[in-house]
Amino acid sequence: MSYSNSSMGSGSRGARRTVEFGRTYVVRPKGKHQATIIWLHGLGDNGSSSSQMLETLPLPNIKWICPTAPTRPVTILGGFPCTAWFDAGDLAVDGQDDVEGLDTSAAHIANLLSTEPADIKVGIGGFSMGAATALYSATCFAQGKYGNGYPYSIKLKAVIGLSGWLPCSRSLRNKIEGSVEGARRAASLPILLCHGKCDDVVPYKHGEKSCQTLASAGFRYVVVRIYDGIGHYTVPKEMDEVCNWLNIRLGLDGSRF
């Protein structure tokens, strides 16, 4: 499945651009379908590798949707083109943000979730740049709009970020504090953040700062798990944490089929 989006543009970057997303992979629930989670891969990866990992998890009641990011030049790689949810020049909380790229990817993700049945709980998770995009979507949900002002209508129930960071954080607190509805939505959304203490790609300090920023902006249910001796990769203990957290936060039927 591929998807083109030419309607989501940010005024901060001038002309709108057409973006072609890669193939989307779906892992069907083995049991009763109770929740759907979009899972976003890291820089240079694809939805196929995500789906292969997720189908091994003991979460039979979740449908996983694993899209593939567009191929685009990436500043941090010297302009080398690879799959990326947005352009990144500095993997840091306070780096220059590609709002247009973030909005376009967040809109694509929301579009994939928009056709899920009304009784299905929906969420977004990801690794590294995918985690950053998931957290950006969480802020769009809280504000009720994308960075460019278009309305965000998906009702998220859970967000997971593994080894990631929070884009567009500088003015987040003021934007949410200025809205009663925004503060309510932020306070209602559970977020799980996991990070390796020895991450040399997205340093742990960026994950720590992201957590602090989310908390100060009114996200009350942020759970943080830190792993000593772990770098920029996932480990079984971390994925066990993800499974337990999703079962509890989404009220799933555990491992029963």
Side-chain angles (χ1 to χ4, degrees):
M1 170 193 286
S2 62
Y3 172 81
S4 295
N5 189 326
S6 58
S7 63
M8 291 298 298
S10 170
S12 65
R13 294 232 168 186
R16 296 175 180 178
R17 63 189 177 208
T18 300
V19 175
E20 185 71 24
F21 286 83
R23 181 177 174 182
T24 294
Y25 299 80
V26 178
V27 179
R28 301 289 177 185
K30 300 178 180 66
K32 179 184 177 182
H33 183 197
Q34 294 181 294
T36 296
I37 307 291
I38 298 277
W39 193 265
L40 307 173
H41 61 76
L43 180 65
D45 209 341
N46 57 61
S48 176
S49 60
S50 297
S51 67
Q52 292 173 36
M53 174 193 70
L54 295 167
E55 66 184 356
T56 67
L57 299 182
L59 292 169
N61 307 115
I62 292 181
K63 170 185 173 182
W64 300 94
I65 301 178
C66 306
T68 299
T71 296
R72 70 177 81 212
V74 180
T75 300
I76 200 170
L77 301 179
F80 182 80
C82 68
T83 52
W85 298 108
F86 54 93
D87 186 26
D90 180 19
L91 300 188
V93 174
D94 297 321
Q96 183 66 35
D97 297 305
D98 173 17
V99 178
E100 182 182 357
L102 284 159
D103 277 347
T104 300
S105 288
H108 179 62
I109 296 159
N111 182 60
L112 292 172
L113 288 173
S114 65
T115 56
E116 292 301 296
D119 62 334
I120 298 301
K121 298 173 182 177
V122 299
I124 306 172
F127 174 77
S128 191
M129 179 178 270
T133 309
L135 292 177
Y136 180 75
S137 294
T139 65
C140 292
F141 162 75
Q143 296 174 70
K145 60 185 177 182
Y146 297 93
N148 58 21
Y150 283 92
Y152 186 92
S153 58
I154 301 300
K155 296 179 179 179
L156 297 178
K157 294 296 185 181
V159 171
I160 299 169
L162 309 183
S163 305
W165 73 99
L166 175 64
C168 302
S169 64
R170 288 182 293 275
S171 60
L172 178 62
R173 181 176 177 178
N174 290 338
K175 289 178 179 177
I176 292 179
E177 283 186 340
S179 165
V180 173
E181 277 299 300
R184 182 189 63 78
R185 285 189 291 264
S188 73
L189 180 62
I191 299 176
L192 173 65
L193 300 179
C194 301
H195 218 115
K197 205 69 178 285
C198 298
D199 193 329
D200 60 351
V201 177
V202 182
Y204 163 71
K205 66 179 181 180
H206 296 324
E208 186 177 40
K209 180 67 179 298
S210 298
C211 174
Q212 294 169 352
T213 302
L214 288 167
S216 69
F219 289 86
R220 297 180 183 176
Y221 298 108
V222 181
V223 173
V224 181
R225 294 291 180 263
I226 304 164
Y227 302 92
D228 290 329
I230 302 301
H232 197 65
Y233 47 83
T234 59
V235 294
K237 182 180 180 180
E238 183 179 35
M239 297 315 296
D240 288 345
E241 189 76 47
V242 169
C243 292
N244 293 335
W245 187 82
L246 282 172
N247 271 323
I248 293 171
R249 299 313 311 184
L250 297 180
L252 304 179
D253 293 341
S255 59
R256 288 178 289 150
F257 283 61

